[in-house]
């Protein structure tokens, strides 16, 4: 028969083992998004990004798409009850350190995901949530129903640690509550004659959205080239992103890479931010590290030769470089 001292010793050893296991465990990041059968975007891009950055990836599928580098030819929305079951299974067992959402598709799915996240975050308030408000695929195909935009604004975005729209998505979100204001914010982009003017207006839009939803915003400026017609012919337009956090704006700028292989860049960036947050970065540090990772993945994208349309970025470029 074991003595009380022996039992206490066993319990101490078990507690010590549990603490060591927690310290050694790989951080878990969760993506809640759609599947891209072509492998370049969606949960496939998210899990590749998590893995490349040293984070264990878990997933909740909201939809499956028939998709390649050229087009999205079919979308199958998964039942809400199945989405709820996936979320419950992950949250019940895995120590999730960061979450990102991607393609949600329909207003009902936005509501389902928001409800599950709200209940989880009520208990785990320290877990960061990155919301990538995916609306349109690289091919131009719509991935979000129009009625889902208002649901996203009201139910999901207020839960976020960071929202990562591109420029068209940001204007669409703003137009959900005030179409005229969104149009007025876009007008100066079309009349800009210098890169600093474009960057300044990007910040104005980022601040407007952050104020509207009450959470930090990373406004991605990859689409600024759509407004570059009035720039001097010799002007070099970098990729400019603006982070607005607690009324402070931080501008990130990097050289624009000449390639058509940019499928899944938005998914990759938001997943990389989630991964860095799961590893313990502060928000601004996570954004900077994620942008550097994406820049390298885009720079190496032409090495892949995948598909005949907009090919994917090279998520594992750093690993392959180390092996050479």
């Amino acid at each position: 028969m074991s003595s009380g001292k022996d039992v206490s010793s066993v319990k101490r050893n078990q507690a010590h083992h549990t603490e060591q296991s927690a310290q050694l465990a790989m951080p878990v990041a969760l993506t809640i998004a759609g599947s891209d059968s072509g492998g370049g975007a969606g949960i496939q891009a998210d899990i590749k990004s998590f893995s490349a950055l040293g984070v264990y990836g878990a997933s909740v599928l909201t939809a499956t798409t028939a998709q390649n580098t050229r087009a999205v030819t079919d979308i199958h929305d998964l039942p809400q009850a199945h989405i709820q079951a996936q979320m419950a299974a992950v949250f019940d067992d895995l120590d999730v350190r960061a979450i990102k959402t991607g393609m949600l598709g329909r207003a009902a799915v936005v509501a389902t995901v928001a409800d599950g996240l709200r209940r989880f975050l009520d208990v785990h308030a320290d877990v960061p949530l990155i919301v990538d408000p995916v609306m349109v695929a690289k091919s131009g195909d719509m991935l979000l129903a129009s009625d889902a935009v208002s649901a996203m604004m009201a139910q999901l975005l207020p839960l976020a640690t960071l929202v990562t729209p591109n420029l068209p998505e940001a204007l669409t979100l703003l137009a959900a509550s005030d179409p005229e204001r969104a149009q007025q914010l876009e007008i100066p982009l079309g009349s800009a004659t210098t890169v600093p003017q474009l960057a300044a207006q990007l910040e104005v839009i980022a601040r407007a959205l952050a104020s509207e939803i009450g959470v930090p915003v990373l406004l991605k400026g990859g689409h600024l080239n759509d407004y570059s017609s009035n720039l001097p012919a010799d002007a070099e337009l970098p990729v400019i992103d603006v982070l607005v956090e607690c009324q402070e704006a931080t501008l990130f700028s990097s050289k624009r890479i000449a390639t058509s292989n940019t499928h899944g860049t938005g998914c990759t960036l938001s997943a990389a931010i989630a991964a860095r947050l799961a590893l313990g970065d502060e928000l601004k540090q996570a954004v900077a590290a994620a942008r550097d990772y994406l820049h390298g993945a885009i720079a190496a994208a032409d090495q892949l030769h995948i598909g005949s349309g907009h090919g994917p970025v090279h998520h594992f470029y750093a690993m392959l470089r180390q092996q050479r």
Side-chain angles (χ1 to χ4, degrees), residues 53-138:
L53 293 171
V55 172
Y56 181 87
S59 63
V60 168
L61 267 67
T62 58
T64 60
T65 68
Q67 183 175 174
N68 54 32
T69 63
R70 297 193 305 267
V72 178
T73 57
D74 194 38
I75 297 175
H76 175 65
D77 295 311
L78 294 181
Q80 291 159 243
H82 186 57
I83 295 171
Q84 289 174 327
Q86 292 178 78
M87 294 178 72
V90 172
F91 290 146
D92 181 58
D93 184 44
L94 304 187
D95 181 17
V96 176
R97 302 288 182 84
I99 306 169
K100 70 143 289 188
T101 65
M103 174 189 171
L104 301 179
R106 299 176 293 125
V109 173
V110 172
T112 296
V113 170
D115 180 63
L117 288 173
R118 188 179 301 108
R119 283 184 285 168
F120 175 78
L121 294 171
D122 280 346
V123 180
H124 304 87
D126 60 329
V127 174
L129 169 64
I130 309 302
V131 175
D132 183 10
V134 175
M135 297 182 186
V136 183
K138 185 67 67 178

Side-chain angles (χ1 to χ4, degrees), residues 63-251:
T64 60
T65 68
Q67 183 175 174
N68 54 32
T69 63
R70 297 193 305 267
V72 178
T73 57
D74 194 38
I75 297 175
H76 175 65
D77 295 311
L78 294 181
Q80 291 159 243
H82 186 57
I83 295 171
Q84 289 174 327
Q86 292 178 78
M87 294 178 72
V90 172
F91 290 146
D92 181 58
D93 184 44
L94 304 187
D95 181 17
V96 176
R97 302 288 182 84
I99 306 169
K100 70 143 289 188
T101 65
M103 174 189 171
L104 301 179
R106 299 176 293 125
V109 173
V110 172
T112 296
V113 170
D115 180 63
L117 288 173
R118 188 179 301 108
R119 283 184 285 168
F120 175 78
L121 294 171
D122 280 346
V123 180
H124 304 87
D126 60 329
V127 174
L129 169 64
I130 309 302
V131 175
D132 183 10
V134 175
M135 297 182 186
V136 183
K138 185 67 67 178
S139 59
D141 298 282
M142 291 300 299
L143 299 176
L144 186 71
S146 57
D147 64 339
V149 176
S150 296
M152 185 175 286
M153 286 285 287
Q155 301 174 57
L156 183 60
L157 300 192
L159 303 176
T161 303
L162 179 70
V163 180
T164 63
N166 59 33
L167 186 50
E169 290 166 346
L171 293 169
T172 299
L173 291 170
L174 285 166
S177 58
D178 191 341
E180 184 176 345
R181 183 188 183 202
Q183 188 176 26
Q184 291 173 344
L185 287 169
E186 185 179 15
I187 289 173
L189 293 172
S191 59
T193 57
T194 67
V195 172
Q197 286 177 348
L198 285 174
Q201 190 58 24
L202 197 68
E203 179 181 332
V204 170
I205 296 170
R207 286 185 179 278
L209 183 58
S211 176
E212 180 74 22
I213 62 179
V215 300
V217 167
L218 176 67
L219 179 52
K220 301 174 294 190
H223 288 75
L224 279 179
N225 57 347
D226 295 338
Y227 301 93
S228 62
S229 59
N230 293 325
L231 298 184
D234 59 347
E236 291 189 10
L237 180 60
V239 176
I240 301 169
D241 303 326
V242 178
L243 172 66
V244 174
E245 178 187 14
C246 301
Q247 302 300 316
E248 178 186 353
T250 303
L251 186 147

